[in-house]
Amino acid sequence: MSSKSYNAALPKGMWKGHLSFSDVYCATAPSPETAEHLTQAMYNNNTVYRAAIEYPGKILLAVAFSSLPMGRSAEEDVETILTMRRMMQERVKNMPTVLEVSDLKTSFGKTVGVRMNNVKSDIPELGPFPLGMQMFIPPKGGLFSMSVHRIFARGAVRFEVAAIQIAPQPQTDSTEGEMKEHLSTMVETLTDSLQKCTGALPVRVKN
């Protein structure tokens, strides 16, 4: 963390879900009336921003952005990330874990979709979600957690919208499917809102 963290408890039904940062992005979070806590901060010498919303059911929904590497276009950046995620998917395909990578299209163009089972994040040794994550195999097997991600770029900025949830207990045969559907809906709703609102802002270019 490289800036003072902004932390706010959200009185039930009072928050309208507005998210923004200067002229970089704006969005409305899904189901703001149920949100419990909002955290915003800058990281890595003020080059990475992250906002995270806590919801009931041990769900964390986050939006992060950073500047693209010098000399790389938005299209090249997303293609590079897609290639890297697919390489990771190939490396773990024979392991008892789940890593799904999708080549998607949104209003900002090519978008990387990721779904992972059994990930650790938002703990001191790894860092804030989704900036620091680690896949693992639970000692007792089964489903411990799930995360869903959408990664895209516009101008000189890379965005990631992601949600993570600790699996509820007790589990049933439908738990994994229900988690995937719910987290995907939250991520896609926030992605749509971010792209619609941010799309009305001037495109940021490198200095």
Side-chain angles (χ1 to χ4, degrees):
M1 187 181 298
S2 55
S3 73
K4 184 178 180 180
S5 176
Y6 169 80
N7 298 281
L10 303 173
K12 189 172 182 179
M14 299 297 291
W15 188 49
K16 302 304 181 183
H18 180 65
L19 298 167
S20 65
F21 184 91
S22 186
D23 59 347
V24 181
Y25 92 103
C26 53
T28 300
S31 305
E33 68 280 359
T34 66
E36 298 177 334
H37 196 272
L38 172 65
T39 301
Q40 299 181 80
M42 298 293 294
Y43 299 84
N44 195 27
N45 294 321
N46 291 332
T47 62
V48 179
Y49 162 92
R50 171 209 184 235
I53 311 155
E54 296 177 27
Y55 288 90
K58 298 181 179 179
I59 296 174
L60 188 68
L61 177 64
V63 55
F65 70 74
S66 59
S67 297
L68 300 188
M70 290 297 297
R72 185 185 294 178
S73 69
E75 294 78 11
E76 291 169 340
D77 187 70
V78 176
E79 191 64 48
T80 298
I81 292 174
L82 179 61
T83 298
M84 294 171 61
R85 295 296 187 273
R86 282 178 167 165
M87 290 173 61
M88 184 185 303
Q89 183 182 35
E90 183 67 19
R91 286 198 298 268
V92 304
K93 69 178 182 179
N94 295 321
M95 296 176 60
T97 187
V98 174
L99 173 56
E100 297 176 347
V101 180
S102 305
D103 183 354
L104 307 174
K105 187 173 181 59
T106 61
S107 63
F108 277 13
K110 182 184 283 289
T111 297
V112 180
V114 178
R115 196 265 288 206
M116 292 186 284
N117 282 5
N118 298 332
V119 288
K120 294 180 180 179
S121 188
D122 220 57
I123 53 180
E125 57 266 36
L126 291 176
F129 176 81
L131 308 181
M133 302 182 64
Q134 181 182 77
M135 299 186 73
F136 75 106
I137 301 172
K140 297 182 180 180
L143 179 62
F144 172 80
S145 65
M146 180 186 296
S147 68
V148 174
H149 310 247
R150 298 292 183 266
I151 304 167
F152 47 91
R154 177 180 186 252
V157 183
R158 176 196 301 156
F159 296 94
E160 180 169 5
V161 176
I164 188 171
Q165 180 181 15
I166 304 300
Q169 302 294 336
Q171 296 182 26
T172 67
D173 291 342
S174 63
T175 296
E176 182 175 2
E178 290 170 353
M179 288 176 65
K180 181 179 179 180
E181 181 178 2
H182 184 57
L183 295 179
S184 296
T185 298
M186 293 184 76
V187 168
E188 289 164 3
T189 299
L190 182 52
T191 295
D192 290 345
S193 174
L194 186 153
Q195 292 186 350
K196 182 177 180 180
C197 186
T198 306
L201 301 175
V203 176
R204 289 179 65 87
V205 297
K206 296 184 185 298
N207 294 328

